Amino acid sequence: MRNSGGAEKKRRKLTQRVQFKFVLAFFTLIVALLGLVDTYPIAASRDLVASEKESSLLSQAGVISASLSALDSLSSDAVGQVMSLLDIAGLERIIVTDGTARIVYDSRSPSDGGKYALLSEVALALDGRQVFWSRFADGAFTSRAAIPVYSSRGLSGAVYICERDESQAELIISVQSRLWMISLVCLAAAMALTVVFSRALTARITRLAEAMRVVRGGDYAHRIKPEGNDELTELSEEFNDLTERLETTEAQRRRFVSDASHELKTPLAAIRLLADSIIQSEGMDEATMREFVADIGSEADRLQRTSEKLLDLSRRDAGAPRALSRVDLGEAAAATSRLLTPLAAKMGVQLSCSAESDCLVTASEDELYQIVFNLAENAVKYNVEGGEVAIDVRRGEKRVLLTVEDTGIGIPREDLPHIFERFYRVDKARSREKGGSGLGLSIVHDAVVSLGGEIEVAAREGQGTRFTVSFPPAAEEGGGEL
Amino acid sequence: MRKSAALLLALLLALCAGCSVWGEPWDICRVVAPHYREGAELVRFETVNVPEGAGMIDALIEALNSPTEDPELQNPLPEDGKILDWRLSGTVLELSAGEGYALLAGLDKTLCDCCLALTLCGAEGVEAISVSVNGALVTPELGERDIVVYDAASDAAEG
């Protein structure tokens, strides 16, 4: 299955889906709870009834046994007379046996008199024990009890009684039926709510996954609308932020590629034009030819510088490791000043440098020199005849400060936010004339930030520029890799 | 194919012959051990195969004298009270038992008498049993109609 983003959506079995697992878990829980609610009260009620019946039946059997204990022997006539005097009601059957388990009295079946009663209850009673058990089945409580009969001569027989109670059983069954009915209704309602809720939950997750597929397909402008105010909302908002960053990064990448292509293409075009002019011009004088060749050399140099800076930026972007050590920023400033003195003299700019001692910074030596050189070179190049450039290095309270200040042409206020962007040039024509590529300050900015520093620019148009760079001071034992 | 059919037929005939030699199933009445009586029955039947015809009563008596294989059941006959001989007088099967049978009393005697009656009555021509020891009658005629056996799981009567 393909969506609009072009990515394939995985097919999942029903049993693998979150919604199914959610519904199944809730269903199992609800069924377990309802089962407990439906069975425990009924079981407790049955136990209560059984307990009551045990007390009642044993009591009645005791009355019969006590009444018969006055007889020396349990004969049919004597037992029949005693039983006729007793007012025992509500029993299914009463059997009285002698010591050999022969029936001397049977309330339900008088013709069974004289037969042997092979009942386990009678046998246990003839062993001198009281017996009771009750069973709830077939819509009734069936209870049996048996106790021994003692006469003056000892154990003489047994009394066995049986009761069948349908009314109490009917009551319990009725309550159970109602409980089951209510439980079924509750289960249906709970499952309906569970399905609705789980569908709403998984639908949001599915929409988020769909949005991810769209963005993965290249549509970085795609956003989803956050719903509600829960963790999924937070996830949606994070997704939108991430996509916005992706969109910005992609735009920057496109622009960089476009600018880089243009910067590389321009000197190549110039070289091509000059070479064609030489080839196509017959009888060109030597001086003109030398001039053209010199221009080709200049453009080749520009191309080389741009390529080197692009490579540097690329390495920095890739996070290539570099060796760090404790470097004296003051010495770097002094070395840069010495290096730029001939250029400054040629341009009629006065270059000065003042540095405190022990202004140590944890950096790679080449990188630090590059920062100072790029700032100082720009200050010299974009200056005026008779202008000044001052390089200053000193220790602040918690930072090491580098200041490069000039009295040059300055930077317009509207250009200030962009001067650290790659390929950005305030005056393109003047920059080309000076051999600039628009990458120098980008390199300075990225290098300063990677060393834990900060860079600020203060500028007034027509009155010069001041760059202030601050670094954290080097630790006591420096060195390491970033 | 013909050989297979002949072999199969021979096997079937042998099985039938074996069945006739082996006899028919018959229930031998045993007493439930005291430990298992609560909430259950007092007597239970154990099925054995006995030959049909003349040898049936001998086989039943031999089974009654033998111990049971079921750990929940007991043979009510004492060791010195086994059935030694029998004679069919009309429809009454007169049994002659060892001296130990005469010493039985109370429920124990009742269980022995009833197990003999419930097992032997129903054999061809037997409607009741009686038991004598050394010629003295210890148990007068006793038939199935003289015994009430309840299934502990219901109110069903009659044994």
Side-chain angles (χ1 to χ4, degrees), chain A residues 108-320:
Chain A
R108 192 173 80 174
S109 181
S111 60
D112 281 347
K115 296 184 179 179
Y116 288 105
L118 296 189
L119 310 175
S120 61
E121 293 86 0
V122 170
L124 290 167
L126 290 176
D127 202 29
R129 294 169 54 181
Q130 283 192 3
V131 183
F132 172 84
W133 65 266
S134 183
R135 185 171 60 98
F136 177 74
D138 302 326
F141 276 99
T142 303
S143 308
R144 303 176 196 270
I147 66 172
V149 178
Y150 290 98
S151 68
S152 56
R153 298 178 187 177
L155 193 147
S156 60
V159 173
Y160 165 89
I161 58 178
C162 173
E163 183 198 60
R164 186 177 169 83
D165 185 351
E166 293 179 352
S167 61
Q168 294 226 34
E170 190 180 329
L171 182 66
I172 288 178
I173 290 170
S174 171
V175 170
Q176 188 175 47
S177 297
R178 286 181 191 176
L179 277 177
W180 278 115
M181 193 61 64
I182 294 169
S183 298
L184 280 175
V185 171
C186 290
L187 179 65
M191 290 317 302
L193 282 173
T194 302
V195 169
V196 168
F197 179 71
S198 64
R199 182 168 284 184
L201 186 69
T202 55
R204 292 169 69 188
I205 296 173
T206 302
R207 280 197 290 276
L208 186 58
E210 181 66 28
M212 287 181 185
R213 278 190 287 274
V214 170
V215 171
R216 193 177 67 197
D219 182 6
Y220 297 123
H222 186 74
R223 303 286 185 271
I224 57 175
K225 183 182 172 186
E227 300 168 9
N229 190 23
D230 52 21
E231 288 83 350
L232 287 179
T233 312
E234 186 180 342
L235 191 62
S236 301
E237 289 168 353
E238 289 297 325
F239 168 78
N240 286 341
D241 286 344
L242 178 67
T243 311
E244 190 174 344
R245 279 200 182 186
L246 279 174
E247 191 180 19
T248 304
T249 303
E250 178 65 11
Q252 287 175 345
R253 185 189 69 82
R254 287 177 191 273
R255 193 171 67 238
F256 178 79
V257 168
S258 173
D259 290 344
S261 299
H262 176 75
E263 291 301 321
L264 292 174
K265 194 173 62 176
T266 303
L268 283 171
I271 292 170
R272 178 79 260 170
L273 183 66
L274 290 165
D276 286 344
S277 297
I278 294 171
I279 292 167
Q280 291 169 7
S281 297
E282 293 182 6
M284 182 182 283
D285 61 286
E286 187 177 335
T288 305
M289 190 178 293
R290 281 185 180 276
E291 189 181 334
F292 276 27
V293 170
D295 288 341
I296 289 173
S298 297
E299 294 300 325
D301 286 341
R302 188 195 312 284
L303 190 59
Q304 183 179 359
R305 284 195 299 275
T306 303
S307 300
E308 285 171 355
K309 286 180 178 175
L310 281 173
L311 191 61
D312 190 7
L313 281 170
S314 174
R315 284 201 194 109
R316 199 178 301 281
D317 286 345

